[in-house]
Amino acid sequence: MRVLFTIFPATAHLYPVVPLAWALQSAGHEVVVASHAGVVDPGVIANIGAAGLTAVPLGSPEELPEALSKNTGDSKPNRPSLAFDAFEPEESEGWRTARAILTGMFRMHYPEPAEPGGRRPVLDNLVDFARAWQPDLVLWDPLMFPAPVAARVCGAAHARLVWGTDNIALIHERTKRELARPDAELTEHPWVSWYGPILEQYGLEFTDEMLLGQWTLDLTQSRMRLPLDLTHVPVRRVPYTGAAALPAWLHHQPERPRVVLTLGVSRRKLFGKYSGFPMREFFESVSALDIEVVATLNSEQLAAVGTVPDNVRTVEYVPLNQVLPTSSAVIHHGGGGTFSAAVNFQVPQLVVPLPMWDEMVTARYVEEMGAGLVADPESLDVAGLHKQLVRLLQDPSFSLGARRLYDEMLAAPAPKDIVPLLERLTAERR
């Protein structure tokens, strides 16, 4: 069969889907990956090809609105956070704030045409491609709402591929309950205002399926999944963090404990040097420890650090699957890619959660499983980080917790194991 993946235009959204795309290709299916071109993360189209997959660019910066075409990851310290604690009571306001932010974001990424009857670049380019290529199955990023439209127009089966806590489904479920209350001030789902015209353009209606797919593939750990009424297919998240030649310093085991410090693809792209992490002071604090720190820093971050101690190795980029097998600990921002790689290689974690989506949920899960520690990003201090790192390296219980996380990960089926199920569901739902 033909399988069309559609991803939000960020490499952090590409990496989780790559192993499943490989599994489908290895089973003899045709696979392509579509995304915006040249916006948010200008390298995403090239990274699709670097993963051995066929890329389908959807629109160019010239076609897209000025606000979006300029949104290419410049350093901005005050970007709004989409994070909220999905396990908090429904009365909390965090999910409503996230709903409002998402509404504005969707309007920007899938804007109205400049003139009545004009083209919506990403939507119409994706529909045109789907009509021409005729996929059997469309697997879509939960933020890529033109995808279910394209699937319905060309008659394909379609499902979401969820890479983190399913905040979209939770917000939608709570919004429906809010609308159903007799005393509700809300009279219409806030997402109808931007999504309704998109659907009407192709003769479709605003339904659960158009927001949540015909079913959901979920890459998250079982204990992080929300209790939602969805047709749900768990999938093991096999870590992929890019590919590169193995550097010479990784040919051998380290002579002393190795600690990896990474702020993640999204954090680097969206926040640049404004990461909120006291890099310079942290390096000074660990300079006397008998450890080797490997820190992934771009030129802007490195310039902000200044002099680097002798026991700190800075690299622009190294795939985590290359460096984590020889590491004793990892310090990271709570992103799903770094978390899943640490779980796969059973590395204890010190999480400094950047609230962008579900990083706080991830951090709490790591701590509850005894696989690591959490540093409060609101009151981050170097002395506290130093103390937590030393404890992480010296206390063997964290290695046992990392093993528990790994065993739980193995309980979900690997990507290759769900290919027959996808074939059956596609035949049933087309």
mmCIF file of all heavy atoms in Angstrom, residues 207-242:
data_model
loop_
_atom_site.group_PDB
_atom_site.id
_atom_site.type_symbol
_atom_site.label_atom_id
_atom_site.label_comp_id
_atom_site.label_asym_id
_atom_site.label_seq_id
_atom_site.Cartn_x
_atom_site.Cartn_y
_atom_site.Cartn_z
ATOM 1 N N THR A 207 -16.015 17.273 12.821
ATOM 2 C CA THR A 207 -16.371 16.079 13.582
ATOM 3 C C THR A 207 -15.172 15.614 14.403
ATOM 4 O O THR A 207 -14.039 16.068 14.196
ATOM 5 C CB THR A 207 -16.791 14.931 12.643
ATOM 6 O OG1 THR A 207 -15.668 14.590 11.808
ATOM 7 C CG2 THR A 207 -17.970 15.335 11.765
ATOM 8 N N ASP A 208 -15.436 14.675 15.307
ATOM 9 C CA ASP A 208 -14.340 14.097 16.084
ATOM 10 C C ASP A 208 -13.277 13.503 15.171
ATOM 11 O O ASP A 208 -12.072 13.631 15.431
ATOM 12 C CB ASP A 208 -14.880 13.006 17.018
ATOM 13 C CG ASP A 208 -15.728 13.552 18.151
ATOM 14 O OD1 ASP A 208 -15.750 14.789 18.335
ATOM 15 O OD2 ASP A 208 -16.367 12.752 18.848
ATOM 16 N N GLU A 209 -13.705 12.832 14.101
ATOM 17 C CA GLU A 209 -12.745 12.183 13.213
ATOM 18 C C GLU A 209 -11.786 13.182 12.578
ATOM 19 O O GLU A 209 -10.599 12.891 12.400
ATOM 20 C CB GLU A 209 -13.476 11.419 12.107
ATOM 21 C CG GLU A 209 -12.537 10.714 11.137
ATOM 22 C CD GLU A 209 -13.256 10.075 9.972
ATOM 23 O OE1 GLU A 209 -14.309 9.454 10.193
ATOM 24 O OE2 GLU A 209 -12.758 10.198 8.825
ATOM 25 N N MET A 210 -12.278 14.373 12.245
ATOM 26 C CA MET A 210 -11.423 15.355 11.582
ATOM 27 C C MET A 210 -10.429 15.999 12.547
ATOM 28 O O MET A 210 -9.458 16.614 12.113
ATOM 29 C CB MET A 210 -12.283 16.430 10.910
ATOM 30 C CG MET A 210 -13.253 15.868 9.879
ATOM 31 S SD MET A 210 -12.485 14.732 8.675
ATOM 32 C CE MET A 210 -11.396 15.843 7.794
ATOM 33 N N LEU A 211 -10.649 15.831 13.847
ATOM 34 C CA LEU A 211 -9.687 16.315 14.831
ATOM 35 C C LEU A 211 -8.804 15.210 15.379
ATOM 36 O O LEU A 211 -7.660 15.464 15.769
ATOM 37 C CB LEU A 211 -10.422 16.972 16.006
ATOM 38 C CG LEU A 211 -10.898 18.408 15.819
ATOM 39 C CD1 LEU A 211 -11.751 18.828 17.008
ATOM 40 C CD2 LEU A 211 -9.734 19.371 15.649
ATOM 41 N N LEU A 212 -9.332 13.971 15.414
ATOM 42 C CA LEU A 212 -8.650 12.892 16.130
ATOM 43 C C LEU A 212 -8.343 11.677 15.262
ATOM 44 O O LEU A 212 -7.764 10.701 15.763
ATOM 45 C CB LEU A 212 -9.500 12.452 17.331
ATOM 46 C CG LEU A 212 -9.912 13.561 18.303
ATOM 47 C CD1 LEU A 212 -10.787 12.996 19.404
ATOM 48 C CD2 LEU A 212 -8.695 14.256 18.884
ATOM 49 N N GLY A 213 -8.708 11.699 13.990
ATOM 50 C CA GLY A 213 -8.414 10.573 13.119
ATOM 51 C C GLY A 213 -9.393 9.428 13.303
ATOM 52 O O GLY A 213 -10.235 9.422 14.206
ATOM 53 N N GLN A 214 -9.277 8.422 12.441
ATOM 54 C CA GLN A 214 -10.098 7.217 12.572
ATOM 55 C C GLN A 214 -9.590 6.338 13.710
ATOM 56 O O GLN A 214 -10.351 5.581 14.307
ATOM 57 C CB GLN A 214 -10.097 6.441 11.249
ATOM 58 C CG GLN A 214 -10.791 7.181 10.119
ATOM 59 C CD GLN A 214 -10.657 6.455 8.807
ATOM 60 O OE1 GLN A 214 -9.575 5.941 8.474
ATOM 61 N NE2 GLN A 214 -11.737 6.406 8.028
ATOM 62 N N TRP A 215 -8.325 6.425 14.002
ATOM 63 C CA TRP A 215 -7.740 5.797 15.183
ATOM 64 C C TRP A 215 -6.453 6.532 15.517
ATOM 65 O O TRP A 215 -6.023 7.418 14.771
ATOM 66 C CB TRP A 215 -7.501 4.284 14.982
ATOM 67 C CG TRP A 215 -6.379 3.893 14.071
ATOM 68 C CD1 TRP A 215 -5.084 3.647 14.418
ATOM 69 C CD2 TRP A 215 -6.443 3.680 12.648
ATOM 70 N NE1 TRP A 215 -4.347 3.296 13.311
ATOM 71 C CE2 TRP A 215 -5.158 3.286 12.219
ATOM 72 C CE3 TRP A 215 -7.461 3.760 11.700
ATOM 73 C CZ2 TRP A 215 -4.861 3.018 10.877
ATOM 74 C CZ3 TRP A 215 -7.170 3.488 10.367
ATOM 75 C CH2 TRP A 215 -5.882 3.122 9.982
ATOM 76 N N THR A 216 -5.858 6.185 16.649
ATOM 77 C CA THR A 216 -4.670 6.898 17.129
ATOM 78 C C THR A 216 -3.547 5.915 17.403
ATOM 79 O O THR A 216 -3.729 4.952 18.154
ATOM 80 C CB THR A 216 -4.991 7.680 18.419
ATOM 81 O OG1 THR A 216 -5.953 8.699 18.124
ATOM 82 C CG2 THR A 216 -3.741 8.317 18.993
ATOM 83 N N LEU A 217 -2.392 6.157 16.799
ATOM 84 C CA LEU A 217 -1.164 5.445 17.129
ATOM 85 C C LEU A 217 -0.443 6.255 18.199
ATOM 86 O O LEU A 217 -0.200 7.446 18.014
ATOM 87 C CB LEU A 217 -0.265 5.297 15.902
ATOM 88 C CG LEU A 217 -0.818 4.489 14.727
ATOM 89 C CD1 LEU A 217 0.125 4.596 13.536
ATOM 90 C CD2 LEU A 217 -0.999 3.044 15.108
ATOM 91 N N ASP A 218 -0.104 5.632 19.314
ATOM 92 C CA ASP A 218 0.443 6.360 20.461
ATOM 93 C C ASP A 218 1.838 5.864 20.794
ATOM 94 O O ASP A 218 2.037 4.699 21.135
ATOM 95 C CB ASP A 218 -0.480 6.184 21.668
ATOM 96 C CG ASP A 218 -0.227 7.221 22.739
ATOM 97 O OD1 ASP A 218 0.925 7.691 22.861
ATOM 98 O OD2 ASP A 218 -1.183 7.569 23.460
ATOM 99 N N LEU A 219 2.820 6.766 20.695
ATOM 100 C CA LEU A 219 4.218 6.429 20.948
ATOM 101 C C LEU A 219 4.637 6.658 22.403
ATOM 102 O O LEU A 219 5.794 6.416 22.741
ATOM 103 C CB LEU A 219 5.121 7.269 20.042
ATOM 104 C CG LEU A 219 5.036 6.985 18.534
ATOM 105 C CD1 LEU A 219 5.725 8.095 17.745
ATOM 106 C CD2 LEU A 219 5.665 5.644 18.205
ATOM 107 N N THR A 220 3.731 7.129 23.246
ATOM 108 C CA THR A 220 4.125 7.451 24.614
ATOM 109 C C THR A 220 4.139 6.207 25.495
ATOM 110 O O THR A 220 3.473 5.206 25.216
ATOM 111 C CB THR A 220 3.178 8.495 25.229
ATOM 112 O OG1 THR A 220 1.848 7.984 25.224
ATOM 113 C CG2 THR A 220 3.219 9.791 24.448
ATOM 114 N N GLN A 221 4.879 6.297 26.604
ATOM 115 C CA GLN A 221 4.908 5.217 27.583
ATOM 116 C C GLN A 221 3.503 5.027 28.169
ATOM 117 O O GLN A 221 2.754 5.993 28.341
ATOM 118 C CB GLN A 221 5.893 5.549 28.701
ATOM 119 C CG GLN A 221 7.343 5.708 28.243
ATOM 120 C CD GLN A 221 8.091 4.393 28.167
ATOM 121 O OE1 GLN A 221 8.074 3.743 27.133
ATOM 122 N NE2 GLN A 221 8.747 4.013 29.230
ATOM 123 N N SER A 222 3.147 3.806 28.501
ATOM 124 C CA SER A 222 1.777 3.496 28.894
ATOM 125 C C SER A 222 1.296 4.333 30.072
ATOM 126 O O SER A 222 0.146 4.771 30.110
ATOM 127 C CB SER A 222 1.648 2.001 29.214
ATOM 128 O OG SER A 222 2.514 1.640 30.275
ATOM 129 N N ARG A 223 2.150 4.589 31.053
ATOM 130 C CA ARG A 223 1.715 5.316 32.246
ATOM 131 C C ARG A 223 1.549 6.812 31.989
ATOM 132 O O ARG A 223 1.014 7.535 32.828
ATOM 133 C CB ARG A 223 2.708 5.108 33.393
ATOM 134 C CG ARG A 223 2.799 3.665 33.850
ATOM 135 C CD ARG A 223 3.732 3.547 35.028
ATOM 136 N NE ARG A 223 4.143 2.176 35.242
ATOM 137 C CZ ARG A 223 4.221 1.587 36.416
ATOM 138 N NH1 ARG A 223 3.899 2.247 37.498
ATOM 139 N NH2 ARG A 223 4.629 0.341 36.529
ATOM 140 N N MET A 224 2.001 7.288 30.847
ATOM 141 C CA MET A 224 1.846 8.691 30.505
ATOM 142 C C MET A 224 0.603 8.938 29.651
ATOM 143 O O MET A 224 0.275 10.089 29.354
ATOM 144 C CB MET A 224 3.090 9.191 29.755
ATOM 145 C CG MET A 224 4.346 9.259 30.604
ATOM 146 S SD MET A 224 5.799 9.750 29.647
ATOM 147 C CE MET A 224 5.335 11.380 29.082
ATOM 148 N N ARG A 225 -0.082 7.885 29.252
ATOM 149 C CA ARG A 225 -1.254 8.054 28.393
ATOM 150 C C ARG A 225 -2.454 8.513 29.205
ATOM 151 O O ARG A 225 -2.663 8.082 30.332
ATOM 152 C CB ARG A 225 -1.574 6.748 27.659
ATOM 153 C CG ARG A 225 -0.481 6.360 26.682
ATOM 154 C CD ARG A 225 -0.828 5.128 25.871
ATOM 155 N NE ARG A 225 0.401 4.665 25.201
ATOM 156 C CZ ARG A 225 0.848 3.426 25.231
ATOM 157 N NH1 ARG A 225 0.164 2.503 25.873
ATOM 158 N NH2 ARG A 225 1.959 3.104 24.617
ATOM 159 N N LEU A 226 -3.250 9.362 28.586
ATOM 160 C CA LEU A 226 -4.425 9.907 29.249
ATOM 161 C C LEU A 226 -5.611 8.965 29.080
ATOM 162 O O LEU A 226 -5.727 8.272 28.072
ATOM 163 C CB LEU A 226 -4.759 11.283 28.648
ATOM 164 C CG LEU A 226 -3.640 12.323 28.697
ATOM 165 C CD1 LEU A 226 -4.062 13.585 27.976
ATOM 166 C CD2 LEU A 226 -3.271 12.637 30.142
ATOM 167 N N PRO A 227 -6.515 8.947 30.055
ATOM 168 C CA PRO A 227 -7.702 8.092 29.956
ATOM 169 C C PRO A 227 -8.731 8.702 29.013
ATOM 170 O O PRO A 227 -9.693 9.350 29.435
ATOM 171 C CB PRO A 227 -8.201 8.042 31.402
ATOM 172 C CG PRO A 227 -7.739 9.331 31.998
ATOM 173 C CD PRO A 227 -6.436 9.656 31.343
ATOM 174 N N LEU A 228 -8.551 8.489 27.721
ATOM 175 C CA LEU A 228 -9.410 9.075 26.702
ATOM 176 C C LEU A 228 -10.172 7.982 25.963
ATOM 177 O O LEU A 228 -9.673 6.871 25.787
ATOM 178 C CB LEU A 228 -8.561 9.882 25.700
ATOM 179 C CG LEU A 228 -7.806 11.081 26.286
ATOM 180 C CD1 LEU A 228 -6.730 11.555 25.319
ATOM 181 C CD2 LEU A 228 -8.785 12.209 26.605
ATOM 182 N N ASP A 229 -11.371 8.324 25.501
ATOM 183 C CA ASP A 229 -12.204 7.370 24.784
ATOM 184 C C ASP A 229 -11.833 7.395 23.305
ATOM 185 O O ASP A 229 -12.480 8.056 22.482
ATOM 186 C CB ASP A 229 -13.681 7.717 24.983
ATOM 187 C CG ASP A 229 -14.605 6.688 24.342
ATOM 188 O OD1 ASP A 229 -14.133 5.565 24.065
ATOM 189 O OD2 ASP A 229 -15.792 7.017 24.112
ATOM 190 N N LEU A 230 -10.752 6.687 22.967
ATOM 191 C CA LEU A 230 -10.229 6.674 21.598
ATOM 192 C C LEU A 230 -9.935 5.246 21.167
ATOM 193 O O LEU A 230 -9.639 4.385 22.002
ATOM 194 C CB LEU A 230 -8.920 7.474 21.509
ATOM 195 C CG LEU A 230 -8.966 8.986 21.769
ATOM 196 C CD1 LEU A 230 -7.546 9.528 21.824
ATOM 197 C CD2 LEU A 230 -9.775 9.693 20.693
ATOM 198 N N THR A 231 -10.029 5.000 19.856
ATOM 199 C CA THR A 231 -9.491 3.756 19.299
ATOM 200 C C THR A 231 -7.980 3.909 19.291
ATOM 201 O O THR A 231 -7.425 4.723 18.549
ATOM 202 C CB THR A 231 -10.021 3.499 17.881
ATOM 203 O OG1 THR A 231 -11.448 3.476 17.927
ATOM 204 C CG2 THR A 231 -9.496 2.184 17.340
ATOM 205 N N HIS A 232 -7.321 3.149 20.112
ATOM 206 C CA HIS A 232 -5.934 3.428 20.500
ATOM 207 C C HIS A 232 -5.035 2.244 20.161
ATOM 208 O O HIS A 232 -5.344 1.107 20.505
ATOM 209 C CB HIS A 232 -5.925 3.723 22.007
ATOM 210 C CG HIS A 232 -4.585 3.963 22.587
ATOM 211 N ND1 HIS A 232 -3.820 2.962 23.145
ATOM 212 C CD2 HIS A 232 -3.870 5.100 22.705
ATOM 213 C CE1 HIS A 232 -2.695 3.481 23.588
ATOM 214 N NE2 HIS A 232 -2.698 4.764 23.333
ATOM 215 N N VAL A 233 -3.924 2.517 19.475
ATOM 216 C CA VAL A 233 -2.943 1.487 19.135
ATOM 217 C C VAL A 233 -1.594 1.902 19.716
ATOM 218 O O VAL A 233 -0.976 2.864 19.239
ATOM 219 C CB VAL A 233 -2.810 1.300 17.605
ATOM 220 C CG1 VAL A 233 -1.730 0.276 17.283
ATOM 221 C CG2 VAL A 233 -4.145 0.888 17.001
ATOM 222 N N PRO A 234 -1.102 1.227 20.763
ATOM 223 C CA PRO A 234 0.213 1.572 21.309
ATOM 224 C C PRO A 234 1.333 1.107 20.384
ATOM 225 O O PRO A 234 1.238 0.059 19.750
ATOM 226 C CB PRO A 234 0.241 0.828 22.643
ATOM 227 C CG PRO A 234 -0.690 -0.321 22.458
ATOM 228 C CD PRO A 234 -1.758 0.142 21.513
ATOM 229 N N VAL A 235 2.382 1.913 20.315
ATOM 230 C CA VAL A 235 3.560 1.598 19.504
ATOM 231 C C VAL A 235 4.796 1.965 20.312
ATOM 232 O O VAL A 235 4.848 3.036 20.927
ATOM 233 C CB VAL A 235 3.596 2.399 18.177
ATOM 234 C CG1 VAL A 235 4.717 1.879 17.283
ATOM 235 C CG2 VAL A 235 2.261 2.356 17.464
ATOM 236 N N ARG A 236 5.781 1.087 20.320
ATOM 237 C CA ARG A 236 7.033 1.400 21.007
ATOM 238 C C ARG A 236 7.754 2.531 20.284
ATOM 239 O O ARG A 236 7.867 2.520 19.056
ATOM 240 C CB ARG A 236 7.933 0.174 21.046
ATOM 241 C CG ARG A 236 9.204 0.358 21.876
ATOM 242 C CD ARG A 236 10.109 -0.850 21.755
ATOM 243 N NE ARG A 236 9.352 -2.100 21.957
ATOM 244 C CZ ARG A 236 9.788 -3.292 21.584
ATOM 245 N NH1 ARG A 236 10.956 -3.407 20.969
ATOM 246 N NH2 ARG A 236 9.053 -4.366 21.810
ATOM 247 N N ARG A 237 8.215 3.501 21.040
ATOM 248 C CA ARG A 237 8.984 4.584 20.430
ATOM 249 C C ARG A 237 10.443 4.169 20.337
ATOM 250 O O ARG A 237 11.171 4.141 21.332
ATOM 251 C CB ARG A 237 8.850 5.876 21.231
ATOM 252 C CG ARG A 237 9.622 7.027 20.597
ATOM 253 C CD ARG A 237 9.161 8.368 21.098
ATOM 254 N NE ARG A 237 9.937 9.449 20.519
ATOM 255 C CZ ARG A 237 9.641 10.733 20.634
ATOM 256 N NH1 ARG A 237 8.567 11.094 21.325
ATOM 257 N NH2 ARG A 237 10.391 11.661 20.082
ATOM 258 N N VAL A 238 10.878 3.841 19.151
ATOM 259 C CA VAL A 238 12.269 3.490 18.896
ATOM 260 C C VAL A 238 13.025 4.795 18.668
ATOM 261 O O VAL A 238 12.682 5.565 17.762
ATOM 262 C CB VAL A 238 12.398 2.571 17.669
ATOM 263 C CG1 VAL A 238 13.854 2.281 17.361
ATOM 264 C CG2 VAL A 238 11.622 1.276 17.892
ATOM 265 N N PRO A 239 14.029 5.099 19.468
ATOM 266 C CA PRO A 239 14.671 6.408 19.359
ATOM 267 C C PRO A 239 15.456 6.580 18.069
ATOM 268 O O PRO A 239 16.256 5.730 17.692
ATOM 269 C CB PRO A 239 15.601 6.454 20.571
ATOM 270 C CG PRO A 239 15.858 5.032 20.924
ATOM 271 C CD PRO A 239 14.610 4.291 20.562
ATOM 272 N N TYR A 240 15.161 7.673 17.382
ATOM 273 C CA TYR A 240 15.959 8.105 16.231
ATOM 274 C C TYR A 240 16.231 9.581 16.431
ATOM 275 O O TYR A 240 15.304 10.373 16.625
ATOM 276 C CB TYR A 240 15.199 7.881 14.926
ATOM 277 C CG TYR A 240 15.884 8.502 13.725
ATOM 278 C CD1 TYR A 240 16.982 7.878 13.129
ATOM 279 C CD2 TYR A 240 15.455 9.720 13.208
ATOM 280 C CE1 TYR A 240 17.632 8.453 12.042
ATOM 281 C CE2 TYR A 240 16.098 10.305 12.115
ATOM 282 C CZ TYR A 240 17.183 9.666 11.547
ATOM 283 O OH TYR A 240 17.828 10.244 10.475
ATOM 284 N N THR A 241 17.494 9.968 16.437
ATOM 285 C CA THR A 241 17.865 11.365 16.670
ATOM 286 C C THR A 241 18.812 11.865 15.590
ATOM 287 O O THR A 241 19.683 12.686 15.839
ATOM 288 C CB THR A 241 18.510 11.532 18.058
ATOM 289 O OG1 THR A 241 19.610 10.623 18.191
ATOM 290 C CG2 THR A 241 17.511 11.264 19.167
ATOM 291 N N GLY A 242 18.621 11.347 14.376
ATOM 292 C CA GLY A 242 19.491 11.748 13.281
ATOM 293 C C GLY A 242 20.626 10.766 13.085
ATOM 294 O O GLY A 242 20.787 9.801 13.837
#
